[in-house]
Amino acid sequence: MKLSTLLKLIRFWPPFFGSGIQVHYFNEDLSIIDVKMVLRFWNKNYVGTQFGGSLYAMTDPFYMLMIMHALGRDYIVWDKSASIRYKKPAKSYVYARCELSQVQLDAIKEGLQHQDKVEPEFLIKVRDETGDVVTEIIKTLHISKKTKPGNTQRS
């Protein structure tokens, strides 16, 4: 399945559908993905603000997917870790932008010429309807080159 098709259908993936998370925009080369989530009774926490798990979920798969798309099939790309810092309660709809620059891609490729793996970090700011940052998420990815079967040398 093409990544652009996946991004159109991802709203029906149960974790996104249940939280009301939607890909609002993506550009042609898939280097920018905008995601939004409207505050509804089913994604509120006990105190009436956006549920923290949903705030994280709305950013979860995108950098991995974007890098897989940009680098192609000769690379292994996995989410390694994430941290989330809540800045203020989210009492309205929220949105986030995941953006992958050519500079970041070049740094990944350059790093893999000298190391077996790279583990870049990406900062995602989730904002409310006024533009205030409500959550900052740092995603760390593991990226390495695939090796050919039976060959101990990297391809």
Side-chain angles (χ1 to χ4, degrees):
M1 176 183 300
K2 294 174 76 173
L3 183 54
S4 58
T5 303
L6 175 66
L7 292 174
K8 291 175 185 173
L9 296 175
I10 202 166
R11 74 175 61 191
F12 300 109
W13 182 42
F16 278 24
F17 184 76
S19 296
I21 298 166
Q22 297 180 6
V23 173
H24 183 66
Y25 168 81
F26 57 89
N27 64 354
E28 189 174 317
D29 69 357
L30 303 174
S31 62
I32 296 173
I33 299 176
D34 291 339
V35 183
K36 70 176 182 175
M37 180 173 57
V38 177
L39 183 62
R40 303 277 192 227
F41 76 89
W42 61 83
N43 62 5
K44 286 182 185 181
N45 61 21
Y46 186 72
V47 295
T49 62
Q50 291 279 10
F51 175 64
S54 297
L55 290 166
Y56 173 73
M58 72 182 284
T59 67
D60 182 30
F62 297 112
Y63 275 105
M64 184 184 81
L65 294 171
M66 294 163 77
I67 292 172
M68 289 172 70
H69 174 77
L71 294 179
R73 295 182 180 265
D74 293 335
Y75 295 85
I76 297 169
V77 183
W78 287 100
D79 283 322
K80 181 167 182 166
S81 66
S83 65
I84 186 166
R85 178 179 290 282
Y86 301 100
K87 307 294 261 178
K88 74 178 243 187
K91 299 177 180 178
S92 66
Y93 77 84
V94 292
Y95 62 94
R97 170 168 279 193
C98 297
E99 191 165 5
L100 182 62
S101 71
Q102 189 60 49
V103 171
Q104 290 169 311
L105 279 173
D106 291 344
I108 290 167
K109 291 176 185 176
E110 174 69 23
L112 289 172
Q113 290 181 8
H114 306 289
Q115 320 174 88
D116 289 339
K117 65 179 179 179
V118 294
E119 295 182 346
E121 291 186 343
F122 300 91
L123 173 65
I124 307 165
K125 295 182 179 188
V126 179
R127 299 177 184 275
D128 65 13
E129 67 184 351
T130 65
D132 289 342
V133 175
V134 298
T135 304
E136 290 181 340
I137 298 164
I138 297 174
K139 301 272 301 177
T140 303
L141 274 64
H142 163 95
I143 305 168
S144 59
K145 276 194 151 187
K146 288 183 181 176
T147 58
K148 294 181 182 178
N151 183 358
T152 58
Q153 298 294 321
R154 291 191 328 188
S155 54

